[in-house]
Amino acid sequence: MNSPVRAFRSVGGTPPFMRRGEGPWIFDEDGRRYLDLVLSWGPLILGHCPAPVKAALAAQLERGWSFGAPTEGEVRLAELIRRRMPSLEKLRLTSSGTEAAMSAIRLARAATGRSRILKFAGGYHGHADSLLVEAGSGVATLGIPGTPGITEGTASDTLVVPFNALDAVETAFERWPEAVAAVIVEPVAGNMGVVPPEPGFLKGLREITVRDGALLVFDEVITGFRVSPGGAQERYGVTPDLTCLGKVIGGGLPIGAYGGRRDVMELVAPAGPVYQAGTLSGNPLAVGAGLATLEQLDVFSYERLERSSQRLGAAIRREAEACGAPLQVNRVGSMLTAFFNPEAVRDYAGARRSDAAAYARWFHRLLERGVSMPPSQFEAAFLSTAHDEESLASFETALAGSFKA
Ligand SMILES: *Cc1c(COP(=O)(O)O)cnc(C)c1O
């Protein structure tokens, strides 16, 4: 098992091994077909094997797939990203979202000369040491390592406060003035299940960080080019100093990116002293898949994603109501989570109060009926532009009675 959530630990059972995908469908080694609402955890916004991405990959395969030298595609991808997300005045491609977030933090520390970072409980920014810290809820406290192997020194530089709690952020900045290099946030939380930012939350983070001289880092690895043509920063009208990207910008191949303010990005080597590198950074196959994916995404794609996702969310809500199951459907664009919870979920503590065992039962019932949902209450389900009438109708059929005890 090469990544933990795939192991089905939180829902039980044995994960099917997948063999191939086609549009909104995936097929396991036993030939069973599933409607895919995981989509490789977000990247496959066009579904499986879309023709333009296949063609881009085939063309690149003919030319070679790694040169360790600059290629035109990297520049084209960077320019396309900058056009849609103008806050990325300069950007750097990496091979994963983890690398992007880790490098953005290093850069923020170098740019501010400060060592602390502030993150939100339940926020995931890849598995770099300083970002894995996840202290309990409440006002900012010195973190304790949540994962063996992370030193106390590293953990204590990471402050953790609840998502959507501006007052807790204020308190942390009062306690540690001019000490925080960066606030890093998923502008729409996706890794505690989907939790939207409350009105004013992101703007508040912008104001507090400007006042204190800390940088604001949006981790848009999921939301980038998923929740709107310009990501969450466009959707909510808040401009961060730095942005992390991944997932969709590689169309299902390994990629990441970080970028933002020119003056800050110019600190990155070779222009500046902050070292960061990668043998396969800007890999031509990943770049080709990413470019082909982004080029397919126009305003109509986002309208289609919104419609499909709205329909899916409404169907889940309707069915839960019919069965009397207490359920919250949190949805932003084409990312959504059904929380088995009688109360609104606005942060990690709220998400944790959900009935994960009930989610697991629902998950297996749907899997048996040919629907692949994320194998955890705390992950987002995703839609793609390939989710068409037939597949959405099949979801509604599978949903019938799925909440019965
Ligand atoms: C997936 C994810 C990452 C990590 O990206 P990898 O490519 O898995 O390293 C970082 N941040 C967020 C918000 C993510 O969802």
Side-chain angles (χ1 to χ4, degrees), residues 301-319:
S301 318
Y302 291 94
E303 285 169 14
R304 182 181 171 86
L305 287 166
E306 181 69 34
R307 270 198 310 277
S308 310
S309 176
Q310 206 264 337
R311 174 169 166 185
L312 201 94
I316 295 173
R317 208 173 270 129
R318 226 176 19 247
E319 187 61 31

Side-chain angles (χ1 to χ4, degrees), residues 41 95-99 101 124-127 186 190-191 219-223 244 246-247 255-256:
W41 304 90
S95 297
S96 69
T98 294
E99 273 182 275
Y124 181 68
H125 309 289
H127 59 89
E186 292 177 70
N191 287 289
D219 182 345
E220 295 226 43
V221 170
I222 287 181
T223 55
C244 306
K247 298 195 169 114
I255 206 164

Side-chain angles (χ1 to χ4, degrees), residues 180-194:
V180 173
V183 171
I184 184 164
V185 64
E186 292 177 70
V188 177
N191 287 289
M192 55 180 99
V194 174

Side-chain angles (χ1 to χ4, degrees), residues 60 81 114 119 133 183 196 242 267 286 373:
Q60 191 60 52
I81 290 172
R114 302 171 177 187
K119 73 179 282 289
V133 179
V183 171
L242 295 174
L267 294 173
M373 291 291 276

